[in-house]
Amino acid sequence: MSTQDAPRPGTARLGTRRSTMATTQSRLVADAVTERTGVPVELELITSFGDVTRAHLTQLGGTGVFVSALRDALLEGGVDFAVHSLKDLPTAPAEGLVLAAVTERDDPRDALCARDGLALDDLPAGARVGTGSPRRVAQLAAHRPDLDYVPIRGNAETRLGKVGSGEVDAVVLAYAGLVRVGRTDAVTDVLDAERVLPAPGQGALAVECRADRAAADLAYLSAVDHTATRLAVTAERTVLAELEAGCAAPVGAYARFERGLLRLRAAVASTDGVQQVRAERTAELDVDPASVKAAADLGRELARSMIADGADRIVADPGQIGGGDTGPGAGA
């Protein structure tokens, strides 16, 4: 069904977490849906267990804890669709739900926000860097093993406040999230993919709805689907799935179209940065929804080559850092 032929229901209900980051991201999607389809959208605020618990992400079993309440609301019919940070969405399919759209990706890189305007290479030995993400710690430790990586949680403002108070010397957050909440002023270094590969799906937003409604009264959601982004993140998330790793695992992956090819890079590293497996593959793909399977095949091929080099053993025992990117605003 084309966007023009899609039904025009009354106001749609968009389920979102309550954090500033989540509501800002959801409003961006809501506005895009309305602009492209004419369907008015209202935000329904939902509290997840991940938003209220003080446990760390690694104790909770991954960032999927932030999406379960939204998924429950979808299945119960309390909301029509939900918006997630794609990097927080588990790779395993949820029964009865479907990924209706993947928005055009914003800058996927990580960003350092440090005291005194310092870049990563300028931080003094022993500087305290706040991030509980095993992926970030593993790759940063490979580059700067002399820094002290400490667990941190809370929304973006809370984490930035810990730099201002001197509790830590720097924090690492997703650059796209800082753009969305208007805090790029705090960024002192943007970490390119050569140093720190982003989380699979980082920078993109996922629109999820009930499978039995996707091709009927919610077909208009396809208006915000971005094919090139969907293909790239499909390859990235397939790597994660093949490694049988959760969203909190020390796995980085990034795919993008370059000169007619989808280039996929991935890295798995122990949290001390000592053990690393990195790999890269390219495939000639048309930017077409029919290429989704080919993108997944690329991710599968890359993951299997990494497993042959021992990546699965690192995922199974990456080392411990005692924390996780948890709390409201963990999409950062």
Side-chain angles (χ1 to χ4, degrees), residues 18-295:
R18 294 175 177 269
S19 71
T20 299
M21 185 79 70
T23 55
T24 299
Q25 293 175 164
S26 295
R27 177 48 59 193
L28 289 171
V29 174
D31 290 347
V33 167
T34 300
E35 178 183 348
R36 298 178 192 183
T37 70
V39 177
V41 180
E42 289 184 355
L43 269 54
E44 297 282 346
L45 304 183
I46 296 171
T47 300
S48 74
F49 177 69
D51 291 319
V52 296
T53 182
R54 303 313 298 171
H56 288 300
L57 181 62
T58 49
Q59 297 172 301
L60 297 172
T63 49
V65 69
F66 295 111
V67 308
S68 59
L70 295 177
R71 286 179 160 176
D72 289 343
L74 285 171
L75 293 171
E76 293 165 2
V79 297
D80 298 303
F81 59 97
V83 170
H84 316 277
S85 290
L86 185 56
K87 75 182 184 69
D88 293 342
L89 200 64
T91 56
E95 185 176 357
L97 300 178
V98 67
L99 195 58
V102 176
T103 65
E104 183 173 5
R105 179 182 238 161
D106 293 320
D107 195 320
R109 295 175 296 175
D110 284 319
L112 183 82
C113 304
R115 62 173 175 83
D116 304 324
L118 296 174
L120 178 63
D121 291 340
D122 298 328
L123 288 170
R128 291 168 59 82
V129 179
T131 174
S133 161
R135 172 190 61 83
R136 287 170 176 153
V137 171
Q139 295 187 71
L140 288 168
H143 186 71
R144 288 293 309 271
D146 57 327
L147 300 179
D148 182 16
Y149 300 99
V150 298
I152 194 171
R153 62 168 297 148
N155 60 30
E157 288 296 339
T158 297
R159 298 185 218 181
L160 292 173
K162 294 180 185 296
V163 178
S165 68
E167 183 175 337
V168 295
D169 296 292
V171 294
V172 183
L173 301 167
Y175 185 72
L178 292 167
V179 170
R180 290 168 189 154
V181 297
R183 286 308 314 268
T184 55
D185 61 295
V187 175
T188 59
D189 196 5
V190 181
L191 308 177
D192 60 73
E194 299 304 323
R195 288 188 288 176
V196 180
L197 278 170
Q202 186 160 307
L205 301 176
V207 181
E208 196 171 41
C209 72
R210 274 173 40 177
D212 60 359
R213 300 187 64 192
D217 57 323
L218 295 181
Y220 61 84
L221 293 176
S222 63
V224 295
D225 190 54
H226 189 257
T227 301
T229 298
R230 183 182 279 268
L231 295 177
V233 301
T234 294
E236 297 164 11
R237 285 167 57 80
T238 300
V239 172
L240 196 64
E242 286 293 312
L243 290 172
E244 297 184 354
C247 304
V251 179
Y254 179 46
R256 62 176 295 180
F257 281 95
E258 299 178 2
R259 298 182 294 278
L261 298 175
L262 184 63
R263 179 191 181 197
L264 172 63
R265 289 172 285 172
V268 176
S270 59
T271 49
D272 59 7
V274 173
Q275 300 181 72
Q276 287 195 68
V277 175
R278 287 179 173 263
E280 178 178 328
R281 288 284 190 284
T282 59
E284 187 174 347
L285 266 68
D286 293 328
V287 182
D288 185 282
S291 298
V292 168
K293 181 182 181 301

